[in-house]
Amino acid sequence: MKNQEEIYRFAMKYLRLYTNSKTTELDVFEGFSEQCFAFGFEMDCGNRFIERFGTNAFYEIDGLEQIIGDIDEISLITSAIFSHWRYVTHWSYCEHLLDENHRTWMATALERLAEMTRPPELVEEESRQIYNASPLFEGKLWKFQLSSPNTGYCAAPYRPDSEVEQQLTITADGRIKLLRYQFGTASVHHELFEKQNYRIAPERAAKIMEAVSGYFKKEHRTDFVTDISPWQLTLTNAEGKRYKASGPLCYDPPTPSGGLSDLIRAELGRSDLLVFDGLPDVIQHVEIQYCRYAEDENSLFEEQETTEKPEVLADREFLILDGTSGTLDYRRETSSGFKENKTWKASQWVMEILEDLVWIAESLDEEGEIMNDLDTMNESSFSRRKEKLRRADALSFPKYSVRITARHHGRLKQITSSFDQNELPEVWLDFIEEIEDFTASFRTGEIFGASRKKKGSSEQDHFIFCNVVFGHGKRTYSYLADQDDFALEDQVIVPAGADNHEAIATIRSIQTYSKEEAPYPIEKMKHILRKYKDEASDRKIN
């Protein structure tokens, strides 16, 4: 048998042919057997290979993929390649070398042969890349191999069944190999608990290859983080040249359409891959509903039993943060029929605040409202809360409903919870203040400056709206406050009815608007007369 370097070039030549969609049957037929005989490859009808690995591995790609890593003899793999080629071209019935099964079988076997005959100087050069300044990737990416260990200080707590490493291989023709390891009987012995070989459409593989090679062809991050396990990456181009890189299992390399890790998970249909970022918990979507009255217990998040639109008996507000679209949405609906809706597009800010919400979710969990696995609310806790809300004074406890969609250990979970204004978690104020600061920064620009200067500073630039109820009524009415000294639950004297007689009302909410943003015409609004002080005043009021 000739030297390994010549066999390596032979393997790479035919590997490129079998993975090129433009290759013809003649390209992989003509001259192949002559080269095999010249190299001294044995053609034994696959007997030795079948004896060791079985008939399925010799004839079918699914069988070969299961054992390809166990082939450790060059003479065995070369004999299998020559014999499989001979079976297709001489003994099979109307089968062809470029049929999907045989094309992928030959590519897989030739790739293994190339790995086993790789010249020592290439191996030494690649091993130095991890420790020295790595060159940028060049050429067309053919194979992606990534090892993602999960054993650093920031990894999940040790358990005998804890996952400690994933090894992922992707080829340009859509072959996928995934190995997953866990702690065995001792932490130093890793056990393989999942091995998968499957294929995806070549166009999906091409999308991954384009994104990965595009990132590593440019200057990129190669830093390391203390106490976080490093991933190890090997990229092989179509010419067989390898590029090696490493980085911390916490940072997801960015692409124009998102992170590499999430792109690979999406294209492979596996949401549990560690890839580059270690699969961190991520808050993807947050919905908050505020409702004034306890009687209205049908949350926005609960399915309605009837298709009829329910009567709105209370003021509602909705706040929605969505990581996918990078938007913040705010909606308000009043009992009088007024509706308001605003949307802010700010992908980076939304991503940052959703990252902070991971800790908010943990805070909720510490207060016993949400289970550790980010699953649904504990049923007994939920029942107790609903009973408490039923007993509460309807006009005293505005309700907050929260739904958080999170990725936890690779699976999407939903956190749902409800609060009244007296039991909001401590982190709530910080969260709302951050939202308020962000929305307050969106003001009109200098184009309106001349108009403001012409009007002068004497004109009132904001108005205080107090929404009040009369007695035990449910409907709210809006009045203007001329002074900023009113608070929730204050009792006030207001003009009521067509004759504007004085009546006692209770403030349920307070909002501030500019004249342009006011929900009602300012000139048609009635004003609060004064605060209600004592019973003596009450006797004078009809």
Side-chain angles (χ1 to χ4, degrees):
M1 186 178 291
K2 293 192 176 183
N3 66 59
Q4 290 189 10
E5 186 171 347
E6 293 180 11
I7 297 176
Y8 170 77
R9 287 197 291 267
F10 162 84
M12 289 303 304
K13 170 188 173 181
Y14 280 96
L15 177 59
R16 287 193 288 271
L17 285 173
Y18 274 101
T19 55
N20 189 333
S21 61
K22 297 181 180 179
T23 297
T24 66
E25 192 81 11
L26 185 63
D27 292 333
V28 291
F29 175 83
E30 196 173 53
F32 186 85
S33 61
E34 290 80 2
Q35 294 180 69
C36 288
F37 281 126
F39 282 129
F41 295 170
E42 181 184 9
M43 201 285 295
D44 66 348
C45 301
N47 291 332
R48 190 156 68 98
F49 188 85
I50 291 173
E51 181 180 351
R52 180 170 176 184
F53 297 112
T55 57
N56 191 48
F58 179 74
Y59 291 107
E60 304 294 333
I61 179 57
D62 291 340
L64 179 64
E65 287 176 337
Q66 296 297 323
I67 56 87
I68 190 67
D70 299 328
I71 302 175
D72 52 8
E73 297 179 41
I74 295 177
S75 62
L76 182 61
I77 187 65
T78 55
S79 172
I81 289 171
F82 193 9
S83 297
H84 187 93
W85 180 91
R86 186 75 174 181
Y87 159 75
V88 176
T89 57
H90 290 75
W91 304 321
S92 68
Y93 180 71
C94 294
E95 295 183 35
H96 304 87
L97 290 168
L98 297 183
D99 291 346
E100 182 181 357
N101 178 69
H102 300 306
R103 177 195 285 265
T104 311
W105 195 102
M106 291 294 288
T108 302
L110 288 163
E111 185 178 32
R112 179 59 178 163
L113 177 59
E115 291 176 349
M116 298 173 68
T117 57
R118 197 166 188 77
E121 59 270 20
L122 290 179
V123 176
E124 292 176 6
E125 177 186 344
E126 292 158 4
S127 64
R128 288 194 298 269
Q129 289 181 20
I130 291 292
Y131 305 102
N132 300 314
S134 301
L136 301 180
F137 178 76
E138 297 177 349
K140 186 174 182 179
L141 182 57
W142 154 247
K143 186 177 182 180
F144 167 96
Q145 294 172 287
L146 180 67
S147 175
S148 306
N150 193 31
T151 54
Y153 177 78
C154 296
Y158 165 76
R159 297 190 310 270
D161 60 347
S162 297
E163 185 171 16
V164 295
E165 185 178 2
Q166 293 181 1
Q167 294 178 8
L168 177 64
T169 303
I170 308 172
T171 57
D173 58 352
R175 286 177 287 134
I176 310 299
K177 181 179 181 180
L178 174 64
L179 303 177
R180 301 177 69 191
Y181 296 87
Q182 65 185 12
F183 283 114
T185 54
S187 61
V188 294
H189 297 121
H190 297 170
E191 292 183 353
L192 179 67
F193 74 91
E194 182 181 345
K195 181 178 180 180
Q196 279 203 349
N197 290 278
Y198 63 102
R199 289 185 293 277
I200 61 174
E203 54 268 24
R204 292 171 61 190
K207 186 176 180 180
I208 295 174
M209 296 305 186
E210 181 180 356
V212 171
S213 61
Y215 177 78
F216 287 99
K217 281 180 178 180
K218 303 175 182 178
E219 292 293 336
H220 51 268
R221 294 179 60 165
T222 56
D223 53 346
F224 287 84
V225 179
T226 304
D227 295 329
I228 294 180
S229 303
W231 47 260
Q232 306 287 345
L233 174 68
T234 301
L235 301 179
T236 306
N237 67 16
E239 302 301 319
K241 185 175 181 181
R242 292 181 176 179
Y243 165 90
K244 290 184 178 289
S246 185
L249 194 69
C250 64
Y251 172 75
D252 195 13
T255 72
S257 59
L260 274 182
S261 296
D262 283 335
L263 183 147
I264 292 172
R265 292 183 188 111
E267 296 302 324
L268 299 190
R270 293 286 303 241
S271 60
D272 56 352
L273 298 179
L274 295 173
V275 209
F276 295 101
D277 61 7
L279 195 62
D281 289 348
V282 175
I283 301 296
Q284 296 185 335
H285 188 83
V286 175
E287 299 177 36
I288 300 170
Q289 173 186 304
Y290 169 86
C291 183
R292 181 79 55 78
Y293 301 111
E295 298 95 319
D296 190 3
E297 290 180 351
N298 286 326
S299 168
L300 176 69
F301 312 131
E302 298 175 4
E303 295 184 0
Q304 303 294 327
E305 296 180 357
T306 176
T307 57
E308 295 181 3
K309 185 177 180 181
E311 183 181 358
V312 178
L313 300 177
D315 290 348
R316 292 174 184 251
E317 294 180 62
F318 306 89
L319 192 65
I320 301 174
L321 283 156
D322 184 72
T324 303
S325 60
T327 56
L328 166 67
D329 284 291
Y330 172 76
R331 188 168 84 249
R332 185 166 69 94
E333 301 174 357
T334 69
S335 56
S336 60
F338 172 76
K339 294 184 179 181
E340 178 184 26
N341 191 9
K342 292 185 179 181
T343 299
W344 292 266
K345 176 73 174 179
S347 299
Q348 183 64 32
W349 178 84
V350 170
M351 181 180 69
E352 291 174 357
I353 196 169
L354 289 178
E355 288 177 355
D356 293 339
L357 281 177
V358 172
W359 304 108
I360 290 180
E362 292 183 0
S363 173
L364 293 176
D365 177 59
E366 291 172 1
E367 297 182 20
E369 301 300 338
I370 297 166
M371 302 190 325
N372 287 329
D373 64 354
L374 298 185
D375 211 334
T376 56
M377 182 187 293
N378 179 280
E379 287 298 326
S380 60
S381 173
F382 183 76
S383 298
R384 290 195 302 270
R385 178 179 298 281
K386 293 285 281 185
E387 182 61 29
K388 180 178 178 181
L389 293 182
R390 289 191 186 99
R391 294 196 305 265
D393 179 359
L395 299 181
S396 301
F397 296 97
K399 305 303 177 294
Y400 299 81
S401 298
V402 181
R403 171 190 280 177
I404 298 177
T405 303
R407 185 184 71 198
H408 184 61
H409 297 323
R411 295 187 298 167
L412 286 181
K413 299 284 187 176
Q414 281 192 342
I415 303 168
T416 58
S417 190
S418 298
F419 305 93
D420 65 41
Q421 64 183 8
N422 296 320
E423 55 185 6
L424 288 168
E426 292 184 2
V427 295
W428 182 268
L429 287 180
D430 293 337
F431 168 64
I432 290 298
E433 284 179 2
E434 188 163 358
I435 299 287
E436 194 172 32
D437 289 345
F438 173 77
T439 56
S441 67
F442 280 79
R443 300 185 184 278
T444 53
E446 295 182 4
I447 191 171
F448 297 101
S451 173
R452 295 192 193 102
K453 290 177 181 177
K454 187 173 182 179
K455 286 183 178 181
S457 58
S458 60
E459 184 172 333
Q460 187 172 345
D461 60 359
H462 70 278
F463 299 86
I464 302 171
F465 280 64
C466 292
N467 298 310
V468 306
V469 295
F470 296 99
H472 295 286
K474 298 176 181 178
R475 182 176 294 275
T476 59
Y477 299 84
S478 292
Y479 285 83
L480 285 177
D482 296 328
Q483 303 178 51
D484 189 13
D485 61 349
F486 295 104
L488 295 180
E489 307 305 322
D490 276 356
Q491 288 188 305
V492 293
I493 306 300
V494 297
D499 59 352
N500 287 328
H501 66 272
E502 293 188 356
I504 301 173
T506 304
I507 296 176
R508 295 305 185 200
S509 65
I510 302 174
Q511 285 100 19
T512 301
Y513 298 99
S514 66
K515 186 173 183 179
E516 293 76 15
E517 295 175 334
Y520 313 109
I522 297 297
E523 59 275 9
K524 295 183 179 181
M525 293 285 294
K526 295 182 180 182
H527 294 245
I528 294 177
L529 300 177
R530 60 187 181 278
K531 287 185 178 181
Y532 169 70
K533 295 183 178 180
D534 52 38
E535 295 183 1
S537 298
D538 190 19
R539 288 192 293 269
K540 299 178 183 179
I541 299 173
N542 297 322

